[in-house]
């Protein structure tokens, strides 16, 4: 019997069978593994797994289930480095001898364009597969804990009926540990077989060094191609004293056989550890120790510790009142960001994080511009770890600038293991999309504004800011009148391959960074290079007086653009310009933006409309920024309406900024926070929980009749709103006016 094809994504409890439970707004659920199904992934910021419809193991389609660990990159091999993926370590298959549970699921890969070099993989609407003998199916993702639960009643080819329930947990409290547990209730008598495997079909760009099984463990030690980075995966199987049989010498598999009786439940749990050479001198020994310790602790202890670790992260919640689906989308977006970052990780997320090798797992401006601001607001410790990736590669950025004949530091358009330029040679963006250095610097400046950490500013912030400022002072060209130009670049709008002179985004960003560096040096009592402010004051900022707009670059004639570019002068760069100019830029460029462009564009449009007081347009663009891009049933972003990178953290991060910085108007300052709250009519409220600024912890609760700022910890909080300065007392609150939308004035 095939699984039912009705239903689809729902809200609900992760408990199947019996009386229906009250819906749980934190749990994403589907009862259909076939129709428009895109598998979820889960992770703890260090390692992650995509979980297929079967609830464990490997599946090629509809989306390849990949298993990643931070920092596992190949060598460049004469071209560019790529993220390497591990064997499927979640496999714990169940069999009655006539077939297995995993074999009951199959699917067909949808056709789609595969661009050069594997840099971009299409994720279109998947074709329906098959789920033979599957009934009572349910799969859920609990956003509070990252646990993915899969339940079904399976009828084997021999006609035997078995209830199966899987849980996949990647422990946020233990960065190197995951666990898979399966409970099997046979409704027949005979031999039940459970297969624990590290499935090499999921591995990519690695070379197995050795594999084995014994003493209840299986293991794989592998090396990333070219780089030689070693990764070890060890699985310890707890099968309640059942005998284990290694599959064979040199094979990472073992089998457990038990006597099945009708209605008698059997539970099997595998404890897995993944360790790379970045983390230990002997990854295999370390992984074995972590897996053994997890097995001794037991699944219940891991689940409790994981729940507590996630609860600390979810103190920083975003509450959306009046739209249950939008609330789920917001929480899902935050969850997916957190699966790929953590406080103690020296790695930075790629556009798809740890979910896949989309864009080769490289780090782009996506991190600092789209992902990072949604982390900084509520998780500054994690934000610092994200920035540490750039600090560790500052010497490589200096070498890159020197190779081009410039001073200072130039960060690469695509970065991976070493911090060298890793853009494929066929793409011009690595040579010409140089604004990325300013995007990195902006993230560093934002961290200083949000935390006030002078130790960090001295050891990490100023070295990066000053190095990027030095790059721009050496990169500009002065004309006969003394004006400074930045020539021969590609702006954020990648349809404008050019190269072009005086990209307004590039120039505004460079000018801002030059001034950031001077202010940071002044704060620390260190001398600032006088060229920084001199060049900043002389940089050309193109402006069309007749149309009242900023042209995208010198010679721009109104052609279609790929994504947000000029509109980003208002946010995140806060370029000093009138509201009239901001609106003119917005109204000029929004209709010229390609509808098939990337998902994060409309998030900027929404934020800028909110800044201008147009809540109706802001909310329209909020809908546009999410609805065409989310893939069911687990609310994951694809890069574009037609597919692209998946799961696209860039889209998730931009979407969250609409709530953290758009409707709140939250902007960081060194001596206060600035708010300009506004609420679209379709919503009843937005609450931002446990925001953090310079030792303070506070909430913002936006309602139509007013906005409340509550201070939970720290000294008095200075808040500017509508040009007035308010002081929120320790443990107290202040009431502010919520702006009236333009349409209601």
């Amino acid at each position: 019997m095939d699984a039912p094809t009705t239903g689809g994504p729902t809200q609900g409890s992760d408990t199947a069978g019996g009386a229906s439970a009250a819906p749980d707004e934190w749990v994403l659920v589907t009862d259909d593994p076939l129709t428009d199904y895109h598998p979820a992934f889960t992770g703890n910021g260090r390692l992650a797994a995509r979980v297929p419809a079967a609830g464990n193991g490997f599946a090629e389609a509809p989306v390849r289930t990949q298993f990643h660990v931070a920092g596992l990159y190949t060598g460049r091999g004469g071209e560019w480095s790529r993220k390497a993926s591990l064997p499927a370590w979640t496999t714990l298959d169940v069999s009655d001898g006539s077939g297995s549970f995993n074999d009951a699921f199959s699917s067909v890969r949808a056709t789609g364009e595969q661009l050069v070099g594997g840099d971009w993989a299409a994720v279109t609407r998947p074709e329906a597969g098959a789920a033979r003998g599957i009934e009572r199916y349910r799969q859920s993702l609990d956003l509070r804990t990252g646990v993915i639960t899969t339940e079904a009643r399976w009828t084997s080819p021999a006609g035997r009926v078995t209830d199966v329930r899987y849980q996949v947990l990647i422990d946020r409290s233990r960065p190197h540990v995951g666990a898979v547990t399966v409970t099997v209730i046979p409704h027949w008598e005979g031999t039940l077989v459970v297969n624990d495997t590290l499935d090499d079909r999921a591995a990519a760009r690695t070379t197995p060094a050795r594999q084995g099984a014994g003493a209840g463990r299986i293991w794989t030690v592998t090396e990333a191609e070219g780089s030689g980075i070693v990764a070890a995966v060890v699985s310890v199987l707890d099968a309640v004293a059942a005998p284990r049989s290694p599959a064979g010498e040199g094979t990472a598999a073992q089998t457990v056989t038990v006597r099945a009786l009708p209605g008698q439940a059997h539970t099997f749990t595998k404890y897995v550890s993944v360790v790379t050479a970045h983390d230990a001198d002997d990854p295999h020994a370390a992984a074995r120790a972590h897996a053994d310790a997890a097995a001794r602790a037991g699944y219940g202890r891991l689940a409790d510790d994981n729940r507590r670790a996630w609860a600390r992260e979810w103190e920083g919640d975003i509450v959306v009142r009046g739209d249950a689906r939008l609330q789920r989308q917001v929480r899902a977006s935050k969850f997916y960001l957190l699966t790929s970052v953590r406080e103690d990780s020296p790695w930075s997320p790629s556009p798809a994080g740890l979910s896949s090798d989309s864009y080769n797992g490289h780090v782009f401006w996506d991190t600092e511009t789209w992902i990072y601001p949604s982390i900084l607001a509520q998780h500054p410790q994690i934000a610092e770890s994200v920035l540490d990736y750039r600090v560790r590669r500052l010497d490589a950025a200096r070498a890159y600038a020197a190779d081009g004949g410039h001073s200072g530091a130039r960060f690469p358009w695509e970065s991976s293991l070493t911090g060298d330029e890793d853009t494929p040679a066929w793409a011009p963006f690595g040579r010409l999309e140089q604004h990325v250095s300013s995007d990195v610097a902006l993230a560093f400046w934002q961290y200083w504004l949000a935390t006030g950490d002078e130790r960090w500013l001295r050891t990490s912030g100023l070295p990066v800011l000053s190095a990027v400022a030095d790059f721009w002072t050496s990169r500009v060209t002065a004309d006969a009148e003394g004006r400074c130009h930045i020539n021969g670049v590609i702006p954020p709008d990648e349809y404008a391959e050019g190269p072009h002179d005086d990209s307004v985004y590039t120039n505004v960003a460079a000018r801002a960074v030059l001034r950031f560096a001077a202010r940071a040096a002044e704060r620390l009592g260190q001398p600032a290079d006088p060229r920084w402010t001199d060049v900043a004051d002389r940089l050309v900022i193109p402006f069309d007086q007749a149309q009242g707009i900023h042209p995208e670059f010198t010679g721009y004639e109104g052609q279609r653009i790929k994504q947000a570019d000029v509109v980003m002068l208002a946010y995140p760069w806060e370029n000093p310009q009138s509201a009239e100019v901001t609106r003119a830029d917005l109204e000029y460029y929004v209709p010229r933006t390609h509808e098939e462009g990337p998902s994060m564009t409309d998030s900027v449009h929404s934020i800028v409309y909110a800044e201008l007081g147009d809540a109706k347009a802001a909310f329209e663009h909020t809908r546009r920024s999410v609805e065409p891009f989310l893939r069911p049933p687990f609310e994951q972003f694809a890069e574009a309406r037609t597919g692209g990178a998946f799961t696209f953290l860039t889209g998730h991060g931009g979407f969250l900024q609409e709530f953290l910085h758009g409707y709140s108007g939250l902007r960081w300052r060194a001596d206060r926070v600035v708010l300009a709250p506004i609420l679209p009519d379709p919503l009843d409220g937005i609450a931002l929980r446990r925001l953090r600024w310079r030792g303070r912890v506070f909430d913002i609760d936006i309602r139509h009749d007013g906005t409340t700022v509550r201070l939970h910890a720290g000294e008095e909080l200075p808040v500017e709103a509508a040009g007035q300065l308010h002081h929120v007392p320790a443990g107290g609150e202040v009431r502010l006016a919520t702006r009236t939308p333009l349409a209601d004035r």
Side-chain angles (χ1 to χ4, degrees):
M1 180 181 296
D2 288 346
T5 56
T6 58
T10 60
Q11 257 187 294
S13 165
D14 64 357
T15 302
S20 59
D24 187 331
E25 63 180 7
W26 288 86
V27 179
L28 306 179
V29 180
T30 184
D31 58 10
D32 183 358
L34 306 180
T35 308
D36 207 12
Y37 174 85
H38 299 76
F41 90 101
T42 187
N44 65 8
R46 184 65 64 90
L47 68 146
R50 193 175 291 283
V51 178
N56 77 107
F58 172 75
E60 181 66 38
V63 177
R64 182 180 176 89
T65 51
Q66 297 185 29
F67 298 78
H68 287 285
V69 60
L72 188 62
Y73 287 102
T74 69
R76 301 183 70 182
E79 42 181 28
W80 58 89
S81 177
R82 294 179 170 92
K83 183 183 286 186
S85 55
L86 299 167
W89 53 260
T90 60
T91 305
L92 196 59
D93 199 6
V94 175
S95 172
D96 73 339
S98 71
S100 77
F101 182 76
N102 287 3
D103 287 344
F105 294 85
S106 65
S107 53
V108 180
R109 176 176 294 280
T111 58
E113 184 180 12
Q114 183 87 14
L115 296 193
V116 177
D119 198 44
W120 185 98
V123 178
T124 56
R125 180 179 296 274
E127 299 176 17
R132 295 174 295 276
I134 299 297
E135 299 176 292
R136 303 185 186 181
Y137 180 86
R138 170 168 284 200
Q139 188 173 66
S140 64
L141 166 61
D142 190 332
L143 299 173
R144 289 164 299 202
T145 62
V147 173
I148 297 176
T149 303
T150 308
E151 301 169 288
R153 171 161 287 184
W154 167 53
T155 301
S156 74
R160 301 185 185 99
V161 177
T162 307
D163 292 329
V164 181
R165 184 178 192 268
Y166 283 96
Q167 284 195 324
V168 175
L169 177 156
I170 301 182
D171 190 351
R172 193 162 186 93
S173 73
R174 295 171 175 84
H176 303 289
V177 171
V180 183
T181 186
V182 59
T183 297
V184 185
I185 304 177
H187 298 284
W188 47 274
E189 183 175 349
T191 300
L192 174 67
V193 180
V194 176
N195 295 299
D196 175 17
T197 306
L198 301 178
D199 191 341
D200 283 332
R201 290 179 298 168
R205 307 183 186 101
T206 59
T207 302
R210 61 185 186 276
Q211 297 178 320
R217 301 187 192 94
I218 58 175
W219 64 87
T220 291
V221 179
T222 189
E223 293 183 1
E225 295 175 352
S227 69
I229 298 170
V230 175
V233 185
V234 175
S235 172
V236 175
L237 181 61
D238 180 359
V240 195
R244 300 164 179 82
S245 302
E249 186 176 351
T251 302
Q254 60 184 334
T255 299
V256 173
T257 302
V258 298
R259 181 67 178 171
L261 295 174
Q264 181 176 330
H266 300 269
T267 297
F268 309 88
T269 304
K270 63 185 295 184
Y271 301 90
V272 180
S273 178
V274 179
V275 177
T276 73
H278 297 302
D279 308 310
D281 293 335
D282 186 343
H284 185 197
R288 184 173 59 199
H290 287 305
D292 286 349
R296 288 193 299 270
Y299 187 82
R301 174 68 179 275
L302 264 62
D304 288 344
D305 291 347
N306 176 66
R307 185 181 301 109
R308 282 190 289 269
W310 271 104
R312 287 191 292 271
E313 306 295 3
W314 280 115
E315 290 176 0
D317 192 14
I318 300 173
V319 179
V320 179
R321 299 186 177 94
D323 190 322
R325 181 158 188 237
L326 191 61
Q327 174 70 88
R328 291 197 302 275
Q329 293 167 341
V330 165
R331 285 190 173 134
S333 290
K334 177 152 189 171
F335 169 78
Y336 291 123
L337 291 194
L338 290 173
T339 58
S340 293
V341 293
R342 61 182 296 120
E343 181 177 344
D344 56 1
S345 173
W347 300 97
S348 189
S350 66
L354 294 175
S355 75
S356 76
D357 57 2
S358 290
Y359 283 107
N360 295 315
H362 291 174
V363 178
F364 292 73
W365 77 314
D366 301 52
T367 301
E368 286 82 13
T369 303
W370 308 101
I371 298 171
Y372 167 86
S374 293
I375 297 168
L376 174 63
Q378 294 166 314
H379 307 275
Q381 298 91 341
I382 297 177
E384 182 181 3
S385 292
V386 171
L387 296 184
D388 190 48
Y389 171 85
R390 298 293 192 180
V391 175
R392 291 171 182 240
R393 289 156 183 79
L394 181 56
D395 286 344
R398 292 185 188 278
Y400 192 23
D403 287 346
H406 302 298
S407 303
R410 175 187 171 187
F411 287 95
W413 178 241
E414 298 188 31
S415 179
S416 58
L417 181 62
T418 64
D420 295 330
E421 180 61 75
D422 239 344
T423 303
W426 52 265
F429 312 112
R431 292 180 290 108
L432 301 174
E433 203 157 350
Q434 298 173 17
H435 64 81
V436 62
S437 294
S438 295
D439 303 320
V440 170
L442 175 60
F444 276 72
W445 183 246
Q446 289 170 333
Y447 183 82
W448 154 246
L449 292 177
T451 67
D453 186 341
E454 286 200 8
R455 176 204 58 79
W456 175 90
L457 184 64
R458 187 178 305 277
T459 60
S460 299
L462 182 58
V464 169
L465 291 169
S466 61
V468 175
D470 287 342
F471 170 72
W472 287 123
T473 59
S474 68
R475 177 65 175 81
V476 300
T477 300
D479 62 22
E481 298 176 356
R483 297 176 301 178
C484 292
H485 304 266
I486 300 175
N487 297 328
V489 299
I490 294 176
D493 167 25
E494 292 177 347
Y495 287 169
E497 291 189 12
H500 297 285
D501 296 341
D502 289 328
S503 149
V504 70
Y505 179 98
T506 303
N507 288 20
V508 164
R511 182 177 68 178
V513 171
L514 289 161
R515 292 171 175 168
F516 294 161
R519 290 166 63 186
E522 179 183 6
R523 175 69 188 191
L524 295 173
Q526 297 186 13
D529 189 329
R531 293 177 300 173
W532 296 344
T533 53
D534 176 60
V535 170
D537 292 342
R538 293 190 291 126
L539 255 175
V540 169
I541 307 299
F543 189 76
D544 186 326
Q545 295 288 350
Q547 297 189 82
I549 63 162
H550 292 96
E552 188 174 274
F553 49 81
T554 298
Y556 177 75
E557 297 179 346
Q559 54 266 45
R560 186 168 68 176
I561 67 174
K562 177 183 177 182
Q563 61 198 69
D565 187 311
V566 175
V567 296
M568 296 178 72
L569 303 189
Y571 179 88
W573 285 100
E574 298 187 57
N575 185 52
Q577 60 192 40
S578 68
E580 290 75 20
V581 169
T582 297
R583 179 172 291 279
D585 282 343
L586 197 59
E587 293 180 348
Y588 182 84
Y589 285 102
V590 167
R592 287 171 169 79
T593 304
H594 192 188
E595 188 178 66
E596 300 303 323
S599 57
M600 66 277 193
T601 286
D602 277 319
S603 65
V604 175
H605 295 161
S606 174
I607 293 168
V608 178
Y609 272 120
E611 179 179 300
L612 292 170
D614 193 339
K616 180 179 180 181
F619 196 64
E620 288 173 355
H621 283 82
T622 290
R623 292 295 194 196
R624 286 175 49 169
S625 74
V626 63
E627 296 294 354
F629 304 102
L630 281 184
R631 297 296 186 262
F634 298 111
E635 309 289 15
Q636 297 171 90
F637 263 85
E639 180 181 13
R641 287 167 172 81
T642 55
F646 182 82
T647 301
F648 193 49
L649 299 193
T650 307
H652 284 295
F655 174 56
L656 290 177
Q657 288 188 57
E658 298 174 51
F659 298 87
L660 290 165
H661 296 285
Y663 296 116
S664 70
L666 174 63
R667 304 291 186 269
W668 306 117
R669 299 289 183 266
D671 59 351
R672 65 198 185 282
V673 296
V674 177
L675 299 178
I678 196 167
L679 189 64
D681 287 340
L683 299 182
D684 297 330
I686 297 171
L688 309 178
R689 303 295 191 210
R690 299 308 192 267
L691 297 161
R692 296 175 185 271
W693 178 80
R694 300 194 168 213
R696 285 82 159 180
V697 181
F698 63 102
D699 296 349
I700 302 172
D701 194 345
I702 307 169
R703 307 284 184 130
H704 287 290
D705 61 353
T707 295
T708 303
V709 182
R710 297 184 182 89
L711 181 59
H712 295 284
E715 299 176 353
E716 182 180 77
L717 174 68
V719 176
E720 179 187 332
Q724 291 188 323
L725 188 63
H726 306 264
H727 295 275
V728 186
E733 63 183 46
V734 164
R735 185 82 166 169
L736 307 174
T738 299
R739 287 184 296 156
T740 303
L742 285 176
D744 298 334
R745 294 178 189 172

